[in-house]
Amino acid sequence: QVQLVESGGGLVQAGGSLRLSCAASGRTFRTYSMGWFRQAPGKEREFVATFRWSTGGTYYADSVKGRFTISRDNAKNTVYLQMNSLKPEDTAVYYCAVRNVYRVYDFIDEAEAGSWGQGTQVTVSS
């Protein structure tokens, strides 16, 4: 029911920054949580960061704590992922996802996603 459009990926040198955007449209009233996941070549998709739309609560994977920040813009129905101090290991396709059911625990399991964006490529060179 929710459509997601991602943007902001690209090529950056190690230590650089990028900001990813995910614009949501459609039945956003059932968007309880939004999250970012990533999939590196040859690896499974993994959790990066999550955001509770109603409370603003956030949670991050250990690998990105202190470097990545997830935020929202209510007026634009958009969630962002600010990525600083990028490392080559951050190279992956980054996906935005929505959990459209309520859960007490944070949205870290990709199996709980109701909608996905198409993904945006982030490449970090050495």
Side-chain angles (χ1 to χ4, degrees), residues 2-69:
V2 177
Q3 293 77 49
L4 304 174
V5 179
E6 299 157 316
S7 62
L11 175 64
V12 64
Q13 294 184 4
S17 299
L18 286 172
R19 189 184 73 163
L20 307 183
S21 299
C22 176
S25 62
R27 293 186 175 272
T28 58
F29 66 91
R30 298 191 66 176
T31 301
Y32 296 104
S33 294
M34 297 185 69
W36 288 95
F37 298 76
R38 67 186 182 186
Q39 186 169 26
K43 297 183 179 180
E44 295 183 347
R45 188 155 52 191
E46 65 176 352
F47 164 76
V48 176
T50 192
F51 179 88
R52 288 185 179 269
W53 199 258
S54 61
T55 67
T58 61
Y59 185 76
Y60 299 90
D62 289 341
S63 60
V64 305
K65 287 181 179 178
R67 299 189 298 120
F68 291 9
T69 302

Side-chain angles (χ1 to χ4, degrees), residues 65-85:
K65 287 181 179 178
R67 299 189 298 120
F68 291 9
T69 302
I70 189 170
S71 61
R72 67 176 177 180
D73 185 334
N74 287 337
K76 298 181 179 180
N77 293 317
T78 300
V79 64
Y80 304 95
L81 185 68
Q82 178 67 45
M83 305 184 295
N84 298 326
S85 301

